[in-house]
Amino acid sequence: MEPIDLARQLVAEQFPDARAAWLGGSVARGDASPTSDLDITVLLDGPPAPLRKSLQYGGWPVELFVHTEKSIAFFSGKDQQRRQPTMARLVGESVVLLDTDGSGARLQQACLAEVAAGPAPLSSDELALLRYMITGLLDDLADATGNVRTAICSTLWQDAARLLLTGARQWSGTGKGLLREVMAYDESHGTGHATALMDGVRAENDRLVEEVDRILQPYGGRLFSGFELAGTPVD
């Protein structure tokens, strides 16, 4: 059975009272691999939502995200704070599996608009903290070798990528999702940051340092002296 039909069958069997359902992720994007799963979001009026559940169905691994409209809004708000639009992409960039009352299309369009709008700009404190953290990693990398160098590089490229993206009011991500966001940025801006960062991680030279410094430059470069971040008073 085709994955879309299989996903629709699963929803009908397990959630007969569902108002709407969407199939997102790699299958909906058209770039699924042999190890991809079915990312299915289901809209209910109440319990058992909100619920996340993993299972096997029809030979596919399935990730189920079961929500109400309120929980979709709640988790979308949390995603806005961390600048990673997981909820909005699952619903917005999807195939509608079920839509009994128009909520499937309505919420899909609302989530697409949220993704298109991008995240809030970095505050001055957020920007300073990112620059400071990246500077510390660059300093640590200067005399690192072997496994220590690999560990630093694995963190450094991700922090630099987050600065690149969030500094430009683009969405961020984690792991392969972060790399995918940088590749999308490159495609729309005519740049090659994704390739440069990955080549730099693998190379035993200064290529990663040069690329990270290039990303830092529009924001004032490295930051150590003068960095200050106020804390919250403790009663």
Side-chain angles (χ1 to χ4, degrees):
M1 186 180 294
E2 290 298 314
I4 294 174
D5 295 329
L6 191 73
R8 189 171 282 120
Q9 177 178 292
L10 184 154
V11 172
E13 288 180 3
Q14 299 201 13
F15 303 98
D17 297 326
R19 293 171 54 194
W22 307 267
L23 175 64
S26 58
V27 173
R29 288 194 306 269
D31 58 5
S33 73
T35 59
S36 292
D37 52 22
L38 300 180
D39 295 309
I40 302 173
T41 306
V42 180
L43 179 67
L44 302 179
D45 276 328
L51 168 72
R52 177 171 179 169
K53 183 178 180 180
S54 301
L55 66 148
Q56 293 283 335
Y57 187 87
W60 281 79
V62 178
E63 295 281 5
L64 276 172
F65 308 93
V66 187
H67 286 283
T68 64
E69 288 204 45
K70 285 186 177 181
S71 67
I72 287 176
F74 173 80
F75 285 104
S76 291
K78 291 180 71 69
D79 288 347
Q80 281 279 357
Q81 293 174 11
R82 63 194 186 110
R83 295 182 174 87
Q84 297 178 28
T86 305
M87 187 80 260
R89 287 202 191 281
L90 280 172
V91 174
E93 299 173 355
S94 69
V95 175
V96 178
L97 301 172
L98 173 72
D99 190 357
T100 65
D101 57 6
S103 57
R106 172 173 55 81
L107 290 171
Q108 183 187 51
Q109 291 304 309
C111 287
L112 275 175
E114 182 178 334
V115 172
L122 290 174
S123 69
S124 57
D125 281 349
E126 288 174 319
L127 177 57
L129 181 58
L130 262 176
R131 291 172 59 203
Y132 175 78
M133 292 171 60
I134 292 169
T135 300
L137 288 167
L138 287 167
D139 289 342
D140 290 342
L141 187 61
D143 58 359
T145 59
N147 290 337
V148 173
R149 181 190 182 280
T150 300
I152 294 170
C153 287
S154 67
T155 302
L156 179 57
W157 87 261
Q158 293 181 75
D159 282 355
R162 292 188 185 98
L163 174 60
L164 171 74
L165 295 167
T166 58
R169 292 196 63 183
Q170 302 291 307
W171 296 108
S172 184
T174 58
K176 65 180 182 181
L178 178 59
L179 182 59
R180 189 163 52 238
E181 296 288 355
V182 177
M183 292 170 66
Y185 177 96
D186 285 339
E187 184 174 352
S188 62
H189 290 77
T191 51
H193 295 292
T195 298
L197 287 168
M198 292 299 97
D199 286 349
V201 168
R202 289 187 291 265
E204 292 288 342
N205 53 34
D206 293 333
R207 294 178 70 178
L208 181 59
V209 174
E210 292 167 359
E211 176 61 15
V212 173
D213 277 328
R214 191 175 297 115
I215 291 171
L216 281 166
Q217 192 274 331
Y219 304 102
R222 302 189 191 192
L223 176 62
F224 178 76
S225 295
F227 173 72
E228 183 176 327
L229 191 64
T232 302
V234 178
D235 294 331

